[in-house]
Structures are given as C-alpha cells and as structure tokens.
C-alpha cells in the first residue's frame, strides 16, 4: 500500500495533516475496549507531546514509543492486546480519508520491539498487512533473521489473502521507496527471486504489480539478472505475465538498454526523422507549463515498431542537470507515415520534483536513442501584481 498525495489549490497537501491528534485518541479507545486497564489519558498525553512538529512517519514512530510505554512489557502479551484491538470498529473519518494509516504505529511497534519474539511478531505482521501494510516492518526481520523470515515469506506465497501474498514481494524489495534498503539482496537477489518465481502467475493484479516493481528494483543493481529472468519469463508467457515483464523493464527501457528494448519488440536503430518540433513558451515561468510536440516520420522502407518517449534535463539546485524520462507511446508506422506526439509539461513544484531556474534541454527517445528537440528557459515565478 502506498500513501496517496492529496492536492489543494494545485499544491500537494502534507500527508501528516491527515494523521492528526485524533489518531492516538482513536487507537487508545480501541485498546481500552479490549484491555480496560489501558491508561488512555496518559497514552494520549504522551503521544501528543511534540506531535505537531513531526512529519508523517516520525508521528507513527512517536505513537509506537507510547504504545511500548503503556502496553505490557512482555511483547507476546502486548501483541495479543494489539491484535485484539484490530477487531474494533474504526471511525473512517478519524484520519481524514486515510483511515488505514491508523495501523501504521502498530507496524513500527512490532518492528522495534518484536525482533526477539519471531513467531509473535510474524503473527502480528500477517494480521497488520491485511489492514494497512507490513512492507516496512518486515524489513528489520529480513536483516536480523534472514533465513527464518524468508522461509515464512515462502509459506505466505500460498496464503489465501492477496495482501499477505503481496507482502512477500513488496516487503522484500531491495529498494522499496520510503524504506531502508536490503543490501544483502541488492548484492545477491537469488533469495527473493525464488519468492517471485512462486508469485509470477498470481491471480491478483495487486500481487503481480508488486512482483514487477520488485524485478525493476533488481534490474537497477543486477541488470544481467533481470535480463535473464525477463527473457525466461516471456517464453510462453500469458498476457498477465507478459505485463509483469513489460512493467519490470521500465527502468531498463528508460536507460535505453538494447536487450530490454529488443525483448519488448523495439530492437534496432529506428529509421525515422523528427519534424515540426514545437516547444513553447521558450521562456517559461515556475508554476506554469510548457507544450512540447513533434512529428515522427518513418523514412524507412518497412513497417517499424517504435517506442517513443521524451526526456527533460532538469536543472538542479547546484546548476547541474539530470534527465527525467516521460512516457509517450509505442507506434506502428508504415513507410512514409507520420504521427504527431504532444505533451504538456507541468512546471509546478511537487513532493518528488523541485524546479530551479535555467535552460532545460529536451530530447526525444526513439527506441532508446536520444534525439535533440530543443530547449526552454525556466524563470522564477511571476509575482502577483
């Protein structure tokens, strides 16, 4: 499960705004309902001390510390109470549309205090991932108890719940966003690949998407492993498995890896000409947008299958530039045929990208080969008059 950003007046609203003081109060009520001695007032008071200054994840860890302080010190007993509280009704308005985030502190609690109680911790992970996610809390166990945790994940590949099966792939991703990396699996992905082999034909799209993302991660550290797995999985592949492979190759395709492009049917140098390029305005302002269009013309004598994307070399804070690839589409062009492709590029700051003044180069990527299109100058936002 990945948190989704909300937008207000075109700007991303911080997720922490939807994880406020009502969260510890709701958790306290759920715990007291199954464990009357739970000190609700003291728990809430400790949770709210310094709470406002914290971001989303630190708020979850802060509540987890309060859970550790006020639940029984014996971890198995604390987990019994915690899991019993999950059965209590949750006020879905409690988190402003992020009701499942109410269980985020529970995962932090298990990760931080359950490492010496493997079976009880795994019991908690199994239950929590069906309500929120355990993809973050499972990782300390993969580091501290790798073989034991991998074996438990292998068992879970056959679990009837798709969220548990997804945890197998997502929790063991070597480069999972927002999470600590798993260096051992980055160095040698054999252990997690064995799990993916058991999930590659899973009936759930939720699980298959995670498998694809996991493979994409592997390709960043071990491209030769991804190349071998992708080629093997494509042999006699169903449409569902072929989708996994295509999705798993997106980073390799962005890098213009010839083997990845060839596997997807875009091999060989394209015989095309790019015409009628338009980039406007050439002097753009932060917060605005730029329109980019160009015509792809098949100059060859045969039908061509083309993968056409474009990339912008964004100026960074230190004055250097880094390319960002944007997907456009795949094309089938007969000899002499031309197609115009268009894209409106937003220049608003986002949580994942900040904009800085300077000249931004734009290139098309045709079957992985960069073709210059032009550039635009990005200027500071206009001040309101």
């Amino acid at each position: 499960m990945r948190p989704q950003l909300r937008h207000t007046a075109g700007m991303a609203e911080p997720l922490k705004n939807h994880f406020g003081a009502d969260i510890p109060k709701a958790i306290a009520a759920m715990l007291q309902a199954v464990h009357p001695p739970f000190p609700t007032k003291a728990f809430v008071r400790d949770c709210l001390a310094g709470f406002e200054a914290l971001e989303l994840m630190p708020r979850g860890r802060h509540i987890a510390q309060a859970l550790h302080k006020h639940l029984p010190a014996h971890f198995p007993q604390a987990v019994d109470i915690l899991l019993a509280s999950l059965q209590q009704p949750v006020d879905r308005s409690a988190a402003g549309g992020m009701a499942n985030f109410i269980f985020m502190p529970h995962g932090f609690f298990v990760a931080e205090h359950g490492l010496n109680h493997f079976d009880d911790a795994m019991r908690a992970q199994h239950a929590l991932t069906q309500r929120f996610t355990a993809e973050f809390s499972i990782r300390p166990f993969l580091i501290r108890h790798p073989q034991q945790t991998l074996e438990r994940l292998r068992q879970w590949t056959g679990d009837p719940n798709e969220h548990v099966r997804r945890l197998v792939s997502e929790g063991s991703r070597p480069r999972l966003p927002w999470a600590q990396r798993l260096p051992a699996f980055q160095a040698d992905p054999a252990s997690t690949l064995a799990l993916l082999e058991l999930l590659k034909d899973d009936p759930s799209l939720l699980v298959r998407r995670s498998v694809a993302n996991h493979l994409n991660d592997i390709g960043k550290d071990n491209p030769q492993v991804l190349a071998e797995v992708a080629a093997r999985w494509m042999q006699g592949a169903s449409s569902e498995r072929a989708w996994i492979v295509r999705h798993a190759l997106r980073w390799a395709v962005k890098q213009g890896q010839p083997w990845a492009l060839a596997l997807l049917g875009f091999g060989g140098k394209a015989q095309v000409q790019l015409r009628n390029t338009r980039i406007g305005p050439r002097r753009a302002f932060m917060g605005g947008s730029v329109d980019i269009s160009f015509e792809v013309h098949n100059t060859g004598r045969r039908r061509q299958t083309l993968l056409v994307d474009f990339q912008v070399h964004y100026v960074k804070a230190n004055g250097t530039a880094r390319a960002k690839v944007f997907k456009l589409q795949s094309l089938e062009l007969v000899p002499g045929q031309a197609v115009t492709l268009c894209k409106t590029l937003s220049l608003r700051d986002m949580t994942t990208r900040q904009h800085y003044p300077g000249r931004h180069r734009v290139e098309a990527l045709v079957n992985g080969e960069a073709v210059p299109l032009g550039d635009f100058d990005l200027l500071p936002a206009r001040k309101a008059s």
Side-chain angles (χ1 to χ4, degrees):
M1 176 176 297
R2 191 73 66 242
Q4 299 297 314
L5 295 177
R6 294 168 172 269
H7 297 273
T8 301
M11 296 297 290
E13 183 179 355
L15 283 169
K16 70 174 186 178
N17 290 357
H18 303 278
F19 195 82
D22 51 338
I23 296 297
K25 294 175 183 177
I27 292 174
M30 295 166 68
L31 288 168
Q32 191 176 57
V34 299
H35 184 63
F38 186 75
T40 298
K41 292 183 179 180
F43 170 77
V44 172
R45 182 176 62 249
D46 287 343
C47 286
L48 297 185
F51 191 78
E52 187 62 30
L54 299 175
E55 297 300 321
L56 176 65
M57 290 294 196
R59 286 185 179 189
R61 292 189 176 91
H62 185 64
I63 296 174
Q65 292 173 0
L67 286 171
H68 179 60
K69 179 179 179 179
H70 295 289
L71 284 170
H74 187 51
F75 182 80
Q77 184 182 359
V79 162
D80 285 342
I81 296 169
L82 209 60
L83 296 186
S85 75
L86 302 185
Q87 308 303 321
Q88 295 299 304
V90 179
D91 180 2
R92 297 196 67 83
S93 65
M98 292 169 55
N100 289 342
F101 275 70
I102 198 172
F103 302 117
M104 179 174 63
H106 303 52
F108 285 130
F109 173 81
V110 172
E112 293 170 15
H113 304 291
L115 284 170
N116 294 325
H117 303 273
F118 184 83
D119 287 331
D120 287 297
M122 289 300 109
R123 179 164 57 95
Q125 311 259 24
H126 187 274
L128 286 170
T129 205
Q130 297 180 55
R131 289 166 174 80
F132 176 53
T133 182
E135 65 199 60
F136 305 114
S137 56
I138 197 75
R139 299 171 82 79
F141 293 84
L142 283 165
I143 294 172
R144 177 79 69 85
H145 310 290
Q147 294 309 314
Q148 199 174 2
T149 308
L150 285 167
E151 173 56 27
R152 185 61 57 93
L153 293 179
R154 189 196 66 76
Q155 296 171 16
W156 285 348
T157 61
D159 196 274
N161 188 283
E162 65 178 358
H163 296 282
V164 175
R165 301 196 306 276
R166 175 187 177 274
L167 173 63
V168 175
S169 172
E170 198 73 3
S172 61
R173 279 180 61 181
R175 289 170 167 262
L176 179 68
W178 291 22
Q180 64 185 127
R181 292 190 177 181
L182 299 175
F185 299 151
Q186 286 182 269
D188 181 5
S191 296
T192 61
L193 272 175
L195 299 173
L196 302 188
E197 290 285 352
L198 299 174
L199 296 172
K200 67 178 183 290
D201 295 314
D202 195 276
S204 168
L205 176 60
L206 183 74
V207 177
R208 296 196 303 272
R209 181 179 290 113
S210 177
V211 170
N213 289 335
H214 191 138
L215 275 179
N216 188 58
D217 278 5
I218 288 175
K220 294 177 181 179
D221 297 302
N222 300 274
Q224 74 287 352
V225 174
L226 174 59
E228 183 277 322
V229 172
R232 178 163 50 80
W233 282 16
M234 285 295 278
Q235 296 176 10
S238 64
S239 59
E240 290 81 8
R241 195 197 300 175
W243 180 90
I244 289 178
V245 173
R246 289 195 301 272
H247 199 60
L249 295 182
R250 63 191 186 278
W251 188 81
V253 168
K254 285 183 178 181
Q255 301 305 305
Q257 295 291 341
W259 63 267
L261 292 162
L263 190 60
L264 297 179
F266 305 110
K269 180 178 176 62
Q271 293 182 299
V272 299
Q273 192 175 72
L274 303 189
R275 303 173 176 174
N276 298 324
T277 299
R278 292 183 176 86
I279 301 176
R282 291 288 181 148
R283 290 167 57 84
F285 292 90
M286 295 181 191
S289 63
V290 168
D291 292 320
I292 301 169
S293 67
F294 56 94
E295 185 180 88
V296 183
H297 181 246
N298 182 357
T299 58
R301 297 182 178 181
R302 297 180 180 179
R303 176 189 296 268
Q304 294 190 72
T305 300
L306 306 172
L307 180 66
V308 185
D309 301 320
F310 82 99
Q311 64 182 6
V312 177
H313 293 263
Y314 281 97
V315 175
K316 310 304 291 183
N318 61 4
T320 62
R322 175 179 290 183
K324 163 70 176 174
V325 177
F326 295 86
K327 304 302 294 181
L328 286 179
Q329 66 184 86
S330 58
L331 303 172
E332 285 277 354
L333 297 184
V334 299
Q337 183 179 4
V339 171
T340 298
L341 300 179
C342 307
K343 173 74 175 181
T344 297
L345 182 70
S346 174
L347 300 175
R348 292 179 176 178
D349 284 346
M350 297 177 285
T351 55
T352 54
R353 183 166 62 249
Q354 300 293 309
H355 294 84
Y356 300 94
R359 180 154 295 178
H360 290 57
R361 291 189 295 114
V362 183
E363 298 171 327
L365 297 175
V366 184
N367 284 3
E369 182 178 358
V371 181
L373 293 177
D375 53 52
F376 64 90
D377 290 318
L378 183 59
L379 307 175
R382 288 170 168 163
K383 294 183 179 180
S385 57

